[in-house]
Amino acid sequence: MNLQGLVIQLLSGMSVGMVIFLIAVGLSLIFGTLQVLNLAHASIYMLGAYLCFWISSMLSQVSGSFWWSLLMAPLLVAMFGGFLEVLLLRRIYGREMLDQFLLTFALILIIGDLCKLAWGVEYHTVDTPWPLDKAIIFGGLVFPRYNVFLILSGPLIYVGLWSLIRYTRLGSVVRAVTYNREMANALGVNVPLVYTGVFMLGCWLAGLGGALVAPMSAVMPGMDMVVLIDCFIIVVIGGLGSISGAFLGSMIFGLVTAFGILVAPRLAIAFGFILMIVVLIIRPWGLMGKPER
Amino acid sequence: MKKIVLIGFIALILSFFSIAPTQAAEPIKFGFLHTLSGGVGQVYGVPDQAGVKIAVEEINKAGGVLGRPLEMISRDDKLKAEVGVREAKDLILNQKVHWIQGIVSSGIALAVSAYCKTQKVIFIDTVAQSAATTGEKGHRYVFRITTNTTNYARSIANAAAKFWGGKKVFIIGPDYEYGHRCKKDFMKTYTGLVPGAEVVGELWPKLGTKDFTPYITKIMSSNADFVYTSLWGGEVLSFTKTAWPFGYFDRVKMAGQDWGNMEGLSKMTRKAYPKGVLGGSHYPWWLLDNPINNVYYPKFKKVTGMDAGLAAASGYTTVYAMKKAIEKAGSLDTEKIIDALEGMVIDSPVGPLKIRACDHQAMWPFWVGPVAFTKEFSWPHITDAVAMDPPDKGYRTCSEIEAARKAQK
Amino acid sequence: MKSFFKQRNNGKAVGLLAAFAFFAVLPLFIGEGYISLVNEMLILAVAASGLNLMMGYAGMVSFGPSGLYAVGAYTTALILIYTEIPFGLALIAGPVMAGIISVVVGWFCVRLTHVYFSLLTLAFSQIIHTIIFGWYGFTHGDDGIVDIPVPEFLSSITNYYYFSLIIVCICLALLWMIVNSPFGKTLQALRENPERTEFVGIHIRRYQLAAFVLSGVFLGVAGSLYCGFNKNVFPDFADVMKSTEMLVVCLLGGIYYFLGPAVGSIVYIFLDKTISSFTEYWPLALGLVIIVLLIFMRGGIVGFFSESVAAMKERGRAKQHVSH
C-alpha cells in the first residue's frame, strides 16, 4: 500500500477513535466519580442518536436542522440522565457492584424498549448537514468533511473536559469528591449534587456521540450493544476513571481497527478483547489509570 | 409496601396456572415464531407478524379454512436458539399447533426444523436464508417460502457477469457463517461465468459494525474491478452513509444481494444512496404487476404505516399457501398436507410460485438491478431488474440437493 | 436477619424431601410441554447455584459465567458428533473441560479484584464466544450444532427430566456440602474481610482459584446437561446476555441464601415465558421487575420470604404476649 493509502487509513482510524472517545469518556468519567460501571451508557448513546433523528425530522423545514438537533439532543439526554440518577442510581451507591450491574442492565432493557415504542423497528438516518456533506480533496486524497469534523471535535472535547476538571473551581470540587467522598462532604461540598452533575455530563457526552453518529450510520434497535463492548475495551485499556486514558484508549482502538484489517482481516472481531486481556493482566489499572489504593 | 409486593407476586404465580391452554376445537391453530424483540432481528420479525395478521384476517373474513377460522399464536424467539426451541416445544406440545412459520436467524431455523422433524409437525421458514435448511439439512417436515443464499449468489453473480465481468473481485461481508457462505457460493458461480476471476482482497467487519470508514478507504485503495458484498440490513444504510461523501459510488462498482430491499433503502435520500450498486430484492413491488400485489401492497402500507418488505410478503404468502394445501388435502392431517404442498403452485404478491417436491423450497424469484432514483418515488430503488428465468435456475437442482444430502451422511 | 432455611434442621430436611417428591411426581400431573420447561429451570438452577458459590459465598462477581457454561455444552456436543464415545462419558467430559479452562482463566482472574476481576472474566468469556462463533470448520459457527445424537432411552422429555432431576439433586447436594465445609466457611470469611482472613494465614488467591474452578465445573455440568436436553448447542450460550441472565437469576432468588439461585431460576424462566407470551415488550417488563427487586426486595425472593416469615412470627409472638 502506498503512502497516500496509509495516510487515508490513519485518518479513518482517527475518525473511528474520536467518535467512540466521546462515548467512552462519559463512561470513564462516571466510573471515576460515582464508582458505578454504567452498563446503560451505550443505551444512552442510542437514545441520543434517536433523539437527533427525531428532532431533525421534526425540524426538517428549518435550515440547519441537524445543528439544532446536535445542540438539543444531548441536552435532552443529559436531562434524562439526571432524572435516572436522582430517581434510581442514587439508591444504590453504597451497594455492592452486582446491584449496580443489574440496575444498569435493567436500564438497557428499558431504554431499548422505550426507543422501540417511540420510533418503531425500522432503520432511520439523518442527512449529513451542510456544509459538511462534501469531501475535502487534497492532491489525490479524498476525505469527507464530516469525518474531519469528527476528528477535530474529539480533541476539542478532550481539552475542554480536561481543563474543566483541572482548572475550574467546579473541577476541583469534582476531584475532591472523587478523591475522598466523606472528606468533601465534611467540608461542605454538596456531594449528591456533584454526583448528579457528573452523571449528567457523562450522559451529555454519550448523547453527543449518538447525535454525531446519526448522519453516518443507521439509527436502529440493537445499535447499543456493539458500542458497549467497545467502550469497555477502551476504558480498560486507558484506565477506568481517567479522561486522558479514554482518549489514548480510543486512539489505540481506532488505529488498531484501521490498520489491523490491512494485516489480518479475519481477526477484526478478536482484536479488542485480546488487547483488553493483555492490559488487564499486565497493568489492570490501565495505561493512564492509577493503581487501586 | 412489602405486603403489596408479596401479594402481587402470589397473584402472578396463580395467574400462570389459570393460563392453562383451553382446548377449543374450533379454530385451526398455527404458530408464528419470530424475533419480535431485542437486536436487529425484530426489523424482520415485526413486519412479518403484521403481514401474517393481515392474511389471517382476510381469510377469516372470507369464511376461514374448511369452514374453521385460523388462529395465529405468536411467539418471540428473542434471537436466541434456546428460546426458539423452547417456544417451538410450547407451540407444539401445549398449544397443539398444526404448523409453525417464521424465524429470521438461520441457526434458530435449523434448530426448530430439527425439533419439528422429531414431532412430525410442519415448519415453514419465511425469512432465514441459509441454503442448508432445505438443502443438506432438509427433511420431510421443513419447507421454505422465500429465497435462499444459493439464489442470492447465483442471481448476483449472473448480473455482475452480465453488467461488468471483471476478473478482480473484492469481498466484504459480515464476519459470520452467512457472509462466508455467500462468498463461497458467489465465487463458485462467478468463476463459472468469468473464468480466471479471483478474490484480490477481503474484509470481514464484525456483525453490527456502525463505522465503516476504515473499510471504505481500504476498498477504495484496492485495484479491484468490482466489490461483492453480503452486508445486509442496517449495515447497508450505515455503509452507504459513510461511503457516499468519499465519492465511493462514482469510483467503485459494487454488487450485493440486500442492496435493493426496502428495509435499507426506504429511508435514503438523494443526498446519500448506493448509486449504481447492483442490488437484489425479494419483493420489488414497484416492478410487479399482478392482482395480489396490487391489493396487498397498498393495504399493508395502510394498516401498518410501513413499506412492505421481504419478510411480510413471505409471511402473508405462507398463510395462503397453507390454506390452499389444507383445502386440497381436505383435512388437517399433516402427512396429507405435505403431500398437497409438494409440487403445488401457490399465489403470492410476486406471482405464482411452485413449491418443489424434492426439497420443499418455493421457487421464489430474486430480482437484481442497478439502484437509482427515478421520478416515481422519493427513495432509491432497483431499476431494469432481471430475475433468473425460470426462477428454478437460481436454485440447486434436485439431483444437486440429493448429492449434497448424501455427502452429509 | 435470620434465614428461614437455616433455622430448624429437621424442618429443612422435610422441606427438601417434599420438594424432591414434588418434582418427582410432577410429570404425572402436567403435560410434557411444561415438564420440558421445568427441566430448563432445573438446569439453570445448577448453573446459577454454581455461579453463586463464587459470587454469593466468595464475593467474586463474574461477568462471564456463560463462557464456562458453553465450554461444557460444546465439549459434550463435539464429542458426541465427532466420536463414538458413549453419552455418559461425553456428559462427564463437559464439566472436566470446563474445570480445566477455569483453572487457566481463573489463574489470571484471581490476581485482580473488584471491577477488574469482573471485566477480565467478561473478556475471557467473549474470547470463548469468538472462538465458538468463528471456528466454523470445527464448531459450526453461528449455525450451532443441531441433531446431537442422544441415547434412545433419554430422548423422551419425561425420561430426560428424571435423568436431569437426579443429576441436579446430586449437584445441589454437593454444593450444599461444599458451602458448609470448612472450605465454604473460609470463602465466606474471605468475602466479609479479605485482609483479616489473610492475617490468619489463609492463602487468599488459592482459595479464590478453588472457588472459581468449582464454580466452573458446575457451570460445565449445567452446559452439558442442556446439550443433552435440547440436542443442540449455539454460540449464544457463551454471550453476554446469557451471563447476565445467570446474574439476574441469582439476584432474583437472593445471593446470600443457598436456595436463592435455584428459586431464582424457577421464577425467572416462569416470568420470562409468561411475559413474553403476552407481549413483545418483555424486556421492558423484565427491566421493571429487576428494578423493583433491587429497590424493594434486597435479599431476593428467598430473602424476602424468610424475612416476612420471621416478621410474621415476631408479630404472632407479640400478639400471644398481649392476649395472655
Side-chain angles (χ1 to χ4, degrees):
Chain A
M1 182 173 265
N2 55 12
L3 183 69
Q4 201 178 37
L6 287 177
V7 171
I8 284 280
Q9 220 54 24
L10 179 76
L11 289 172
S12 305
M14 282 164 68
S15 152
V16 170
M18 287 307 98
V19 176
I20 198 96
F21 163 70
L22 296 179
I23 311 159
V25 73
L27 183 69
S28 199
L29 195 68
I30 291 172
F31 182 83
T33 306
L34 279 69
Q35 297 294 313
V36 170
L37 189 62
N38 182 18
L39 298 184
H41 196 70
S43 304
I44 304 269
Y45 142 86
M46 177 167 79
L47 187 66
Y50 267 114
L51 282 173
C52 176
F53 151 74
W54 186 58
I55 296 171
S56 57
S57 66
M58 300 254 285
L59 298 179
S60 56
Q61 304 306 319
V62 184
S63 64
S65 63
F66 172 78
W67 299 106
W68 285 110
S69 48
L70 186 63
L71 188 72
M72 279 152 69
L75 284 178
L76 284 175
V77 170
M79 277 157 63
F80 179 72
F83 169 77
L84 286 182
E85 200 275 343
V86 172
L87 201 72
L88 294 173
L89 255 71
R90 194 165 277 191
R91 295 166 185 267
I92 54 149
Y93 285 138
R95 299 240 206 129
E96 283 159 59
M97 200 177 66
L98 182 63
D99 289 10
Q100 303 175 350
F101 178 85
L102 288 168
L103 180 76
T104 52
F105 173 73
L107 290 177
I108 293 184
L109 299 177
I110 293 172
I111 295 172
D113 261 10
L114 290 180
C115 287
K116 184 178 165 187
L117 273 170
W119 294 289
V121 296
E122 288 175 286
Y123 305 120
H124 298 290
T125 189
V126 178
D127 277 339
T128 315
W130 181 88
L132 300 178
D133 48 356
K134 297 271 163 19
I136 292 174
I137 298 167
F138 185 82
L141 287 178
V142 179
F143 206 68
R145 288 185 198 167
Y146 194 75
N147 291 63
V148 175
F149 169 69
L150 292 176
I151 293 176
L152 293 178
S153 54
L156 202 71
I157 295 283
Y158 166 61
V159 171
L161 271 179
W162 192 75
S163 2
L164 179 79
I165 302 291
R166 196 80 213 156
Y167 294 119
T168 62
R169 191 170 141 58
L170 204 64
S172 60
V173 170
V174 171
R175 269 184 294 144
V177 173
T178 307
Y179 190 72
N180 191 330
R181 182 186 175 164
E182 282 77 26
M183 185 62 90
N185 197 22
L187 291 173
V189 174
N190 186 344
V191 174
L193 191 67
V194 173
Y195 273 29
T196 312
V198 169
F199 193 78
M200 286 174 73
L201 179 61
C203 290
W204 182 81
L205 287 163
L208 186 67
L212 284 173
V213 159
M216 57 184 295
S217 72
V219 179
M220 62 193 239
M223 66 186 284
D224 48 349
M225 290 316 277
V226 184
V227 169
L228 179 64
I229 303 282
D230 289 351
C231 281
F232 272 3
I233 292 170
I234 286 165
V235 295
V236 166
I237 294 172
L240 275 168
S242 158
I243 295 174
S244 308
F247 189 77
L248 185 67
S250 311
M251 213 56 169
I252 293 174
F253 179 84
L255 294 179
V256 165
T257 311
F259 288 103
I261 60 168
L262 300 185
V263 189
R266 281 303 312 272
L267 282 179
I269 44 175
F271 282 141
F273 301 122
I274 294 170
L275 216 57
M276 179 169 167
I277 288 179
V278 170
V279 169
L280 275 173
I281 289 171
I282 297 172
R283 208 180 142 91
W285 52 89
L287 297 177
M288 305 287 280
K290 291 189 201 80
E292 277 181 89
R293 273 165 286 152
Chain B
M1 186 64 219
K2 282 200 169 179
K3 216 177 231 169
I4 298 172
V5 175
L6 185 71
I7 292 169
F9 207 77
I10 292 169
L12 201 66
I13 289 178
L14 288 178
S15 70
F16 179 64
F17 292 101
S18 61
I19 313 169
T22 46
Q23 297 291 340
E26 261 305 293
I28 298 174
K29 288 188 189 174
F30 71 96
F32 173 83
L33 182 53
H34 228 306
T35 305
L36 299 173
S37 68
V40 64
Q42 55 190 337
V43 178
Y44 298 89
V46 173
D48 195 341
Q49 189 183 34
V52 172
K53 265 186 192 156
I54 291 176
V56 169
E57 272 167 26
E58 284 176 0
I59 290 172
N60 286 347
K61 207 177 267 174
V65 180
L66 300 178
R68 293 164 63 178
L70 286 179
E71 186 187 341
M72 160 196 193
I73 300 178
S74 190
R75 288 293 148 87
D76 183 3
D77 68 27
K78 305 175 187 176
L79 208 54
K80 288 186 206 159
E82 47 176 308
V83 180
V85 175
R86 181 195 295 164
E87 296 294 356
K89 280 181 185 166
D90 180 37
L91 285 169
I92 293 173
L93 298 174
N94 300 331
Q95 311 294 337
K96 315 272 190 236
V97 297
H98 287 95
W99 77 91
I100 292 179
Q101 67 174 78
I103 312 250
V104 60
S105 144
S106 291
I108 304 177
L110 285 173
V112 170
S113 157
Y115 180 69
C116 285
K117 183 180 159 193
T118 65
Q119 296 300 314
K120 299 193 181 344
V121 171
I122 299 172
F123 164 59
I124 306 167
D125 173 350
T126 62
V127 181
Q129 300 285 336
S130 164
T133 313
T134 47
E136 291 84 338
K137 301 276 175 66
H139 52 82
R140 181 167 167 81
Y141 299 92
V142 66
F143 288 80
R144 169 158 37 210
I145 302 189
T146 178
T147 51
N148 70 27
T149 43
T150 314
N151 196 356
Y152 280 173
R154 292 192 179 179
S155 306
I156 294 284
N158 257 323
K162 195 179 119 199
F163 279 83
W164 304 322
K167 286 203 168 134
K168 285 179 281 183
V169 185
F170 198 100
I171 307 277
I172 178 167
D175 196 2
Y176 71 116
E177 189 39 31
Y178 169 79
H180 298 291
R181 195 179 287 147
C182 284
K183 172 198 161 190
K184 217 168 69 191
D185 286 354
F186 175 82
M187 285 313 290
K188 198 177 153 201
T189 315
Y190 191 73
T191 45
L193 296 166
V194 181
E198 55 171 349
V199 176
V200 294
E202 46 192 296
L203 288 173
W204 300 102
K206 71 179 169 195
L207 192 56
T209 298
K210 289 267 106 189
D211 191 343
F212 283 99
T213 315
Y215 299 96
I216 286 159
T217 49
K218 164 78 177 125
I219 293 175
M220 291 182 72
S221 68
S222 80
N223 56 352
D225 290 326
F226 72 93
V227 180
Y228 167 64
T229 175
S230 49
L231 293 174
W232 58 273
E235 287 162 18
V236 168
L237 184 51
S238 295
F239 190 95
T240 304
K241 295 288 291 185
T242 315
W244 177 267
F246 280 98
Y248 180 91
F249 298 107
D250 293 325
R251 295 173 50 185
V252 179
K253 289 180 198 148
M254 188 154 84
Q257 60 258 19
D258 202 37
W259 290 64
N261 274 322
M262 286 301 294
E263 279 84 354
L265 295 181
S266 68
K267 293 293 183 321
M268 292 186 195
T269 63
R270 282 172 193 275
K271 282 188 164 177
Y273 69 98
K275 191 164 78 184
V277 167
L278 272 184
S281 176
H282 310 65
Y283 177 44
W285 52 265
W286 56 94
L287 298 172
L288 302 169
D289 185 25
N290 66 62
I292 298 180
N293 180 52
N294 297 347
V295 174
Y296 164 76
Y297 176 74
K299 184 167 182 181
F300 187 87
K301 177 97 186 173
K302 202 176 129 210
V303 174
T304 65
M306 290 185 274
D307 283 300
L310 62 105
S314 304
Y316 179 86
T317 305
T318 301
V319 180
Y320 271 104
M322 286 309 286
K323 172 179 187 284
K324 194 169 175 185
I326 292 171
E327 282 170 351
K328 189 175 161 198
S331 82
L332 282 168
D333 182 79
T334 302
E335 305 302 325
K336 281 185 189 155
I337 297 174
I338 293 174
D339 291 339
L341 274 170
E342 285 183 342
M344 198 169 86
V345 176
I346 57 173
D347 301 314
S348 81
V350 295
L353 297 172
K354 192 177 87 199
I355 297 180
R356 213 157 55 176
C358 67
D359 63 347
H360 295 180
Q361 167 75 47
M363 296 293 108
W364 191 293
F366 189 68
W367 286 266
V368 179
V371 175
F373 259 101
T374 57
K375 285 188 189 114
E376 254 176 291
F377 302 110
S378 60
W379 66 87
H381 51 92
I382 58 172
T383 52
D384 308 325
V386 285
M388 297 286 227
D389 188 35
D392 307 43
K393 269 193 185 166
Y395 297 91
R396 285 182 284 183
T397 60
C398 285
S399 50
E400 280 177 294
I401 296 277
E402 207 177 318
R405 283 188 188 170
K406 271 204 187 115
Q408 275 275 304
K409 282 170 191 161
Chain C
M1 201 202 296
K2 276 188 229 159
S3 160
F4 175 58
F5 292 96
K6 277 185 191 161
Q7 273 177 344
R8 297 153 305 163
N9 263 320
N10 286 340
K12 190 172 55 195
V14 171
L16 283 178
L17 273 178
F20 181 75
F22 171 75
F23 281 112
V25 299
L26 210 52
L28 301 177
F29 299 103
I30 58 178
E32 274 204 323
Y34 294 103
I35 285 300
S36 156
L37 204 61
V38 177
N39 203 343
E40 286 196 53
M41 294 170 177
L42 292 176
I43 295 172
L44 185 58
V46 174
S49 302
L51 170 65
N52 203 39
L53 174 66
M54 173 160 87
M55 197 166 65
Y57 287 91
M60 299 145 70
V61 180
S62 166
F63 284 1
S66 65
L68 298 167
Y69 176 82
V71 166
Y74 266 88
T75 306
T76 306
L78 290 171
I79 288 179
L80 286 174
I81 61 162
Y82 286 123
T83 69
E84 298 290 315
I85 294 173
F87 181 73
L89 284 178
L91 205 63
I92 294 169
V96 170
M97 193 65 192
I100 294 170
I101 301 279
S102 345
V103 173
V104 179
V105 172
W107 191 82
F108 289 110
C109 290
V110 296
R111 261 138 248 275
L112 305 181
T113 48
H114 300 117
V115 73
Y116 298 101
F117 170 85
S118 309
L119 284 171
L120 192 55
T121 52
L122 172 71
F124 274 115
S125 80
Q126 285 292 321
I127 290 284
I128 293 173
H129 179 262
T130 308
I131 292 172
I132 294 175
F133 192 80
W135 196 357
Y136 185 79
F138 186 54
T139 63
H140 297 200
D142 62 293
D143 276 355
I145 303 174
V146 293
D147 268 340
I148 296 169
V150 171
E152 197 56 41
F153 75 101
L154 284 179
S155 51
S156 97
I157 287 182
T158 315
N159 287 3
Y160 200 86
Y161 170 75
Y162 282 117
F163 176 69
S164 32
L165 181 62
I166 292 167
I167 294 187
V168 169
C169 285
I170 294 172
C171 287
L172 289 182
L174 282 175
L175 275 164
W176 174 255
M177 273 147 64
I178 292 171
V179 301
N180 286 299
S181 68
F183 170 75
K185 301 287 175 207
T186 314
L187 287 184
Q188 290 168 53
L190 268 177
R191 179 190 76 205
E192 293 305 325
N193 197 334
E195 285 87 12
R196 196 174 294 170
T197 321
E198 195 160 26
F199 285 143
V200 195
I202 302 281
H203 195 296
I204 294 190
R205 278 184 193 166
R206 207 169 289 160
Y207 272 82
Q208 287 183 327
L209 182 59
F212 195 97
V213 173
L214 281 171
S215 203
V217 169
F218 284 104
L219 286 164
V221 171
S224 294
L225 262 185
Y226 200 91
C227 163
F229 164 72
N230 240 11
K231 303 180 193 77
N232 55 45
V233 289
F234 284 91
D236 40 327
F237 286 13
D239 77 358
V240 194
M241 289 302 282
K242 186 78 196 168
S243 291
T244 317
E245 186 178 309
M246 292 183 197
L247 292 171
V248 171
V249 160
C250 290
L251 173 102
L252 192 65
I255 59 167
Y256 298 124
Y257 300 88
F258 179 75
L259 282 180
V263 172
S265 315
I266 294 169
V267 177
Y268 176 82
I269 290 189
F270 164 76
L271 281 181
D272 191 58
K273 183 77 190 67
T274 326
I275 298 173
S276 57
S277 321
F278 287 120
T279 170
E280 65 192 70
Y281 290 100
W282 64 272
L284 183 65
L286 179 63
L288 293 173
V289 167
I290 296 175
I291 287 183
V292 168
L293 275 170
L294 277 169
I295 291 173
F296 298 110
M297 289 172 78
R298 286 193 56 182
I301 295 166
V302 175
F304 178 78
F305 277 97
S306 36
E307 272 175 56
S308 313
V309 170
M312 256 185 260
K313 269 192 201 142
E314 273 311 285
R315 226 175 294 141
R317 227 171 278 148
K319 262 186 198 156
Q320 276 176 358
H321 279 294
V322 172
S323 59
H324 277 282

